[in-house]
Amino acid sequence: MSKKPLILGIESSCDETAASLITENELGLPVVLSNIISSQVEVHKKFGGVVPELAARSHIEKIDWIVKKAIDESGRKIEEIDGVASTAGPGLIVCLSVGLSFGKAFASAINKPFIAVNHLEGHALSPKLNSNLEFPYLLLLISGGHSQYLSVNNLDQYKRLGTTIDDALGEAFDKTAKLLGIEFPGGPKIEILAEKGDPKKYKLPKPIFNKGGCNLSFAGLKTAILKISKTIKSEQDKYDLAASFQNTIEEILYKKTRIAFTEFEKINSLNEKIFVVAGGVAANKKIRSMLINLCKENNYKNIFPPIEFCGDNAAMIAMVGLKKYKLNQFSNLDHPAIPRWPLDKSAIFLKGAGVKL
Ligand code: KG4
Ligand code: ZN
């Protein structure tokens, strides 16, 4: 039996420092040997959001031992590694540069190929880390940095059907939480407060609800919440505002996901309709159950990757690296960090997603 490639993946695009070793089995399915993730939540908490300079410093401090831990936990040796993959974008340039430089240096030191990976490609293929999912599938990625609907057709074959034109959904949750006096990242806490509130108490805007296909927009919501938050008098008002926000998001995602289903079906001939939801906001139980019901109504199979593969992680980066390694798609050592890098090249001129390649 031929030796299966062993790939080290490194992720540092935002506020998680992560490293993973991955190989594959005889069927060509990924085998995650280690998946180490170190979150910087504690570093950014008091600032109410990610501070790029602090994030970069924290990556610098942690990256050596995170990579070492990933190698140790994999049970394999440095000499066995066949290639190194690092996230090259999109993300915060000062953060990307840490993992990218580390990956390039590591690959050079062991004299093995280096592979630059698009972080979004990692998320897009992440459901394949633990399931033998067939292409194509529709992906909704809802995290602190991204909100988009993607038709995932194969490695390097993606069609972006919709994206946020301003804030990401996780960002909208965190900003709402901040206005209610909740610590960063407040998304999960909003969900808990919302359980005690009246979802119909405050009427909030639903930007581009009736236009823009399945594009999303959340910035107007934040402005409305800022105004209302100044009128809040009691804890109950707070719960009601959290519930109204949560309910508005559910209404937006219900409508936009239905549009995304139609668009996805228009461009693919499907034996099975599959809808994958990834990113931190996918942990929201009410959004989850709404999307599960929507899938039932529309004959979609619904997949939520496990939490360790759902948020930012290096296993997904290593997996993309492994696929590219097998195709000899290596990168030069002068590959730049690319802060804005949409997967779908035809989408690059859309508002809010510009990129210079
Ligand atoms: O994908 P993720 O873990 O990491 C990055 O985006 O880097 O997503 C984190 C985001 C944060 O904005 C967080 O507030 C949000 O996901 N989030 C939630 C919930 N859990 C995490 N938002 C709403 N409800 C939740 N239960
Ligand atoms: Zn991400």
Side-chain angles (χ1 to χ4, degrees):
M1 199 174 62
S2 63
K3 178 187 178 293
K4 296 291 185 184
L6 177 67
I7 303 294
L8 165 65
I10 298 171
E11 158 63 34
S12 71
S13 63
C14 188
D15 59 343
E16 262 96 20
T17 319
S20 167
L21 258 79
I22 202 168
T23 184
E24 61 179 21
N25 63 18
E26 317 73 64
L27 302 173
L29 299 174
V31 177
V32 180
L33 300 173
S34 61
N35 185 26
I36 311 297
I37 307 171
S38 170
S39 162
Q40 301 176 0
V41 163
E42 288 307 315
V43 176
H44 304 291
K45 221 176 194 170
K46 57 179 172 294
F47 302 100
V50 177
V51 182
E53 169 68 19
L54 295 182
R57 278 194 212 185
S58 178
H59 286 308
I60 292 167
E61 278 162 20
K62 288 180 187 161
I63 194 143
D64 302 72
W65 70 262
I66 295 281
V67 169
K68 183 174 184 311
K69 196 163 156 62
I71 297 170
D72 289 348
E73 283 199 10
S74 74
R76 307 289 284 269
K77 297 195 176 66
I78 288 185
E79 307 80 81
E80 293 177 73
I81 296 174
D82 296 297
V84 182
S86 289
T87 301
L92 298 165
I93 193 150
V94 285
C95 295
L96 289 166
S97 302
V98 179
L100 191 61
S101 304
F102 192 98
K104 288 174 182 176
F106 199 102
S108 303
I110 61 171
N111 204 20
K112 291 287 157 65
F114 172 71
I115 302 148
V117 172
N118 183 316
H119 178 86
L120 295 172
E121 190 160 27
H123 277 303
L125 300 184
S126 64
K128 286 187 162 282
L129 278 165
N130 74 319
S131 73
N132 195 5
L133 193 60
E134 297 284 338
F135 294 116
Y137 50 86
L138 174 66
L139 175 88
L140 169 61
L141 172 61
I142 35 177
S143 70
H146 310 284
S147 297
Q148 50 185 265
Y149 292 99
L150 271 183
S151 173
V152 182
N153 293 61
N154 212 325
L155 181 73
D156 220 12
Q157 286 179 37
Y158 311 94
K159 174 91 187 136
R160 196 177 70 188
L161 305 176
T163 184
T164 178
I165 59 167
D166 40 58
D167 293 349
L169 183 52
E171 198 181 351
F173 265 93
D174 294 339
K175 285 179 175 171
T176 298
K178 195 176 172 189
L179 291 170
L180 295 181
I182 302 163
E183 270 190 337
F184 172 82
K189 194 78 188 290
I190 289 282
E191 184 183 10
I192 297 165
L193 294 192
E195 282 167 15
K196 298 190 254 178
D198 171 7
K200 302 284 174 205
K201 167 90 177 273
Y202 297 104
K203 188 150 176 48
L204 297 169
K206 289 180 249 170
I208 65 166
F209 193 63
N210 292 315
K211 57 180 184 184
C214 57
N215 284 314
L216 299 158
S217 168
F218 301 109
L221 257 167
K222 179 187 61 195
T223 316
I225 287 170
L226 172 65
K227 261 195 200 156
I228 299 170
S229 65
K230 290 181 179 151
T231 68
I232 277 181
K233 295 195 179 66
S234 65
E235 280 300 288
Q236 189 57 49
D237 286 348
K238 221 183 200 185
Y239 303 152
D240 292 344
L241 186 50
S244 303
F245 172 77
Q246 166 85 42
N247 186 55
T248 305
I249 297 299
E250 283 167 46
E251 287 177 6
I252 293 171
L253 288 183
Y254 181 85
K255 170 140 186 194
K256 295 293 181 171
T257 304
R258 284 182 57 185
I259 299 172
F261 284 171
T262 310
E263 307 245 318
F264 177 63
E265 287 161 34
K266 248 191 247 165
I267 60 166
N268 292 294
S269 68
L270 302 163
N271 295 326
E272 192 179 24
K273 300 194 279 186
I274 303 169
F275 181 49
V276 180
V277 190
V281 186
N284 186 292
K285 291 189 203 70
K286 288 203 70 200
I287 291 177
R288 234 174 220 247
S289 69
M290 180 277 289
L291 291 173
I292 289 169
N293 287 334
L294 183 61
C295 282
K296 277 189 199 139
E297 286 164 27
N298 291 275
N299 296 319
Y300 270 76
K301 184 174 164 187
N302 199 193
I303 294 176
F304 290 90
I307 210 79
E308 71 267 28
F309 299 146
C310 210
D312 287 350
N313 67 86
M316 67 183 191
I317 304 302
M319 180 180 58
V320 175
L322 176 62
K323 289 180 187 294
K324 289 185 181 280
Y325 177 90
K326 287 169 69 182
L327 297 168
N328 287 330
Q329 291 181 5
F330 307 140
S331 310
N332 292 331
L333 290 181
D334 62 355
H335 193 290
I338 309 175
R340 284 175 175 263
W341 187 7
L343 269 186
D344 177 351
K345 292 174 189 70
S346 67
I348 62 178
F349 296 113
L350 265 183
K351 190 180 170 214
V355 66
K356 286 191 186 121
L357 286 173

